[in-house]
Amino acid sequence: MTKKIFVTRPIVPDAIDKLKSFFQVEVWNETTPPPKSVLIEKSVECDAFMIEANDPIDSDVINAAKNLKIVSTRAVGYDNIDLSYATSKGILIGNTPGILHESCADFAMGLILTLGRRISYSHYNVLKGNWKVFDQTPYLGNDIHGKTLGLLGVGMIGSAVAKRASGFNMKIIYHSRSRKIDLENQLGLIWKSSLDDMLQEADYVSVHVPLNDDTKKIIGKRELDLMKSDSFLINTSRGGTIDQLALTNALKTHQISGAALDVTDPEPIAHDDPLVSMENVIITPHISSASAATLRNMGIMAADNIINFFTEGKMLACLNPELLS
Ligand code: GLV
């Protein structure tokens, strides 16, 4: 019998067409995520899901499953999925590592430049009609070259940011559980075994850790208090890694100079959230991976995870590979 696949967004037509050449495919044709009740209903009916990073695959959805064998997320992060529960119920979880890191790193570097040199702030002033005279002084920014970048996490994305930052002549320090001797040798990175030391030294702190129990609010009031008053915080990982209220206060009191957030908690951030209207804050709508090519390639990989599993019993990337053997 043909397998039934539920795809929770219509955004990668090539991936959907590819799935359709193997399976019966139903697509949620909205830009907003399907409600939980729909996920539960589809969990009863379907053999596989292809989902986005904000579709919750929790115990309610998993408990409803009858034939659901695989959930393939078009994302590298999987904090929206109860992985251990899915594993206990024999449901495979696929994701898309190895595709988006270069695009994310381009974007993170762009945020560092935009924040430090006040690019979007000055553009906004030109849009408002405020360029009336040659006067650079309202827009004086901070340099990038010669400054210290502190990377929290140097997985594929963090290390791709390090490569770019070294081209900008930044000093790069990093904090991660394990040392990356290769990166240290290649790019001159300096390991800080203590997060506190890294925060005290960096001019730009960029967060590149996945969201999990260890990293939830890893940057809170105490950590923000350690940062320099002329430093900046950049987050392209998950909103939940930062205590947003503490960040709001730190920005209000000039404990730090500014922040660039591609991710917030919740998403979307409320339009009347104080962070949205702060001049020293840049917020983008969770798009760091979203070049057209990378979005498509992630979609194809997510589809291939499902196709390869049902045709060959294999997956390109599986988060619970013990279920495959
Ligand atoms: C995007 O946020 C991803 O995890 O791929």
Side-chain angles (χ1 to χ4, degrees):
M1 253 221 333
T2 320
K3 303 283 179 204
K4 206 170 163 197
I5 318 297
F6 182 57
V7 182
T8 62
R9 236 61 106 243
I11 60 175
V12 191
D14 290 351
I16 292 169
D17 288 346
K18 196 165 183 190
L19 285 169
K20 280 183 177 165
S21 63
F22 290 86
F23 314 112
Q24 187 187 333
V25 179
E26 187 183 346
V27 181
W28 179 258
N29 267 315
E30 312 281 336
T31 48
T32 47
K36 179 94 169 277
S37 57
V38 171
L39 288 175
I40 289 175
E41 181 192 320
K42 298 302 163 195
S43 185
V44 179
E45 294 168 10
C46 293
D47 300 283
F49 281 0
M50 176 169 147
I51 64 161
E52 292 290 315
N54 59 345
D55 293 319
I57 304 299
D58 59 12
S59 54
D60 297 336
V61 175
I62 293 167
N63 282 336
K66 290 228 164 6
N67 298 313
L68 192 70
K69 277 309 296 171
I70 164 167
V71 173
S72 179
T73 181
R74 192 197 64 81
V76 73
Y78 52 91
D79 46 284
N80 55 320
I81 299 170
D82 189 337
L83 177 62
S84 58
Y85 197 59
T87 307
S88 75
K89 296 287 177 184
I91 297 175
L92 290 153
I93 306 294
N95 69 340
T96 62
I99 294 192
L100 78 178
H101 55 289
E102 298 287 358
S103 297
C104 287
D106 289 344
F107 196 89
M109 199 64 218
L111 289 179
I112 292 169
L113 297 168
T114 307
L115 191 58
R117 292 301 311 274
R118 309 185 80 191
I119 296 172
S120 61
Y121 174 71
S122 47
H123 176 227
Y124 177 66
N125 275 281
V126 173
L127 287 179
K128 281 204 305 191
N130 290 344
W131 187 8
K132 307 233 192 274
V133 62
F134 173 60
D135 177 13
Q136 298 175 326
T137 57
Y139 306 111
L140 295 178
N142 286 49
D143 277 322
I144 310 298
H145 69 273
K147 297 290 182 175
T148 299
L149 172 64
L151 293 171
L152 176 51
V154 279
M156 291 187 88
I157 301 173
S159 41
V161 174
K163 278 192 195 125
R164 284 154 179 78
S166 91
F168 276 87
N169 290 334
M170 298 186 87
K171 174 180 172 187
I172 307 163
I173 59 180
Y174 73 100
H175 172 72
S176 65
R177 268 177 304 188
S178 57
R179 279 186 79 163
K180 312 279 165 167
I181 302 292
D182 282 359
L183 274 177
E184 292 181 20
N185 293 337
Q186 258 175 41
L187 301 170
L189 264 61
I190 299 163
W191 185 53
K192 296 285 166 183
S193 59
S194 133
L195 173 60
D196 291 6
D197 289 350
M198 189 195 86
L199 295 171
Q200 276 166 332
E201 218 180 290
D203 299 300
Y204 296 86
V205 171
S206 192
V207 181
H208 299 287
V209 285
L211 178 62
N212 54 41
D213 290 345
D214 295 335
T215 61
K216 194 161 193 241
K217 297 196 178 168
I218 190 169
I219 303 290
K221 180 180 172 350
R222 197 189 73 82
E223 290 70 26
L224 290 158
D225 283 348
L226 291 171
M227 288 175 66
K228 300 200 268 193
S229 60
D230 57 355
S231 69
F232 298 95
L233 180 64
I234 296 95
N235 191 8
T236 49
S237 65
R238 286 290 185 268
T241 58
I242 292 177
D243 179 339
Q244 217 160 266
L245 195 57
L247 174 63
T248 308
N249 290 332
L251 288 160
K252 269 189 196 152
T253 56
H254 307 286
Q255 173 58 43
I256 66 168
S257 269
L261 310 172
D262 183 49
V263 284
T264 57
D265 184 17
E267 289 183 7
I269 191 168
H271 191 243
D272 61 359
D273 189 293
L275 283 172
V276 173
S277 51
M278 288 184 183
E279 286 185 344
N280 52 350
V281 175
I282 299 168
I283 301 182
T284 49
H286 198 143
I287 55 166
S288 75
S289 69
S291 71
T294 295
L295 178 127
R296 179 186 178 278
N297 292 339
M298 290 168 76
I300 296 288
M301 181 169 176
D304 280 340
N305 264 334
I306 296 173
I307 295 165
N308 290 8
F309 172 67
F310 283 123
T311 57
E312 298 170 39
K314 293 184 189 152
M315 286 167 68
L316 296 170
C318 180
L319 291 161
N320 43 9
E322 63 273 28
L323 295 182
L324 278 174
S325 45

